[in-house]
Amino acid sequence: MATETKKKTAKVEEASAPTTEVVKKPRKPRAKKVTPETTEVKEVKEVKKAKKEPVKEEVKKPIVTEARAKALTLKVTPRKCRLVVDLVRGKSCSEALEILFNTHKEAAPMVAKVIKSAVANAVNNFNMREDKLYVASIMASDSVKMKRYLPRAKGSASGMVKRFTNLYVVVKEKN
């Protein structure tokens, strides 16, 4: 019971005690004395900063003369793709697309798509003229190979390799 009365009296004292808030005034910045020595120190610091920062010279970007496109892991064998690729190597892009449109091979639409992508890269990214573009180089190379099994007579099996192709195209502008 004695503890309850102490708590009540402590609460009453807290409530009746005057509250004093300390208000801090903002400090005024002190004026620095300007002497010849301080100006020399500032100049020395500025010179050191200038030495640390490397001078940036404008670097001329090389003029881009070619555009590239690639298609990776196409589901056609490289041998079949090379038959189509050899038809369009060195031709102008419009002529190459016409040849591919009339070629009835499995790889023809895939090759046409990559050539269109290379032409779009040249026109949109490097501001080349579409009518002057030609297929400078085109290459079909091996990609991944999936190994599978074919069931054979008497419970045996024979191996089968499913080949994929990587296709790379470079188009350039004729001078």
Side-chain angles (χ1 to χ4, degrees):
M1 196 146 171
T3 56
E4 289 179 12
T5 55
K6 287 182 183 178
K7 287 180 183 176
K8 288 181 182 177
T9 55
K11 287 181 183 177
V12 172
E13 288 176 8
E14 287 177 10
S16 62
T19 56
T20 56
E21 293 182 17
V22 180
V23 178
K24 293 185 178 179
K25 293 182 181 178
R27 292 178 113 188
K28 293 181 182 177
R30 293 182 183 176
K32 294 182 180 178
K33 294 179 183 177
V34 179
T35 61
E37 295 173 0
T38 57
T39 55
E40 288 175 8
V41 171
K42 286 181 182 177
E43 289 173 2
V44 170
K45 287 181 181 177
E46 289 174 4
V47 170
K48 285 182 181 178
K49 284 182 183 177
K51 286 182 181 177
K52 287 180 183 177
E53 295 176 7
V55 178
K56 294 181 181 178
E57 296 178 12
E58 290 186 25
V59 179
K60 292 183 180 179
K61 293 182 179 178
I63 298 171
V64 179
T65 58
E66 63 184 34
R68 299 170 183 266
K70 62 184 175 181
L72 305 178
T73 320
L74 298 175
K75 183 58 184 117
V76 63
T77 63
R79 187 173 179 179
K80 291 177 184 177
C81 194
R82 285 187 195 111
L83 290 171
V84 176
V85 163
D86 291 338
L87 294 173
V88 296
R89 189 176 287 120
K91 305 270 196 267
S92 69
C93 290
S94 59
E95 186 180 349
L97 291 172
E98 289 172 7
I99 290 170
L100 292 171
F101 180 74
N102 292 313
T103 303
H104 301 292
K105 295 281 186 180
E106 183 184 0
M110 298 175 199
V111 174
K113 188 174 180 179
V114 179
I115 290 176
K116 286 178 186 176
S117 176
V119 169
N121 289 341
V123 172
N124 296 327
N125 298 343
F126 305 121
N127 298 325
M128 294 183 190
R129 293 183 55 194
E130 189 173 352
D131 56 338
K132 288 190 169 187
L133 292 175
Y134 73 99
V135 180
S137 72
I138 185 167
M139 181 178 65
S141 63
D142 284 353
S143 182
V144 296
K145 296 175 185 174
M146 291 194 314
K147 294 183 178 177
R148 299 289 182 260
Y149 292 103
L150 283 176
R152 293 297 181 193
K154 298 180 183 178
S156 64
S158 63
M160 183 170 124
V161 178
K162 294 187 176 184
R163 300 173 193 277
F164 289 77
T165 304
N166 289 337
L167 186 63
Y168 302 95
V169 177
V170 177
V171 294
K172 289 186 179 179
E173 209 172 26
K174 284 187 181 177
N175 295 336

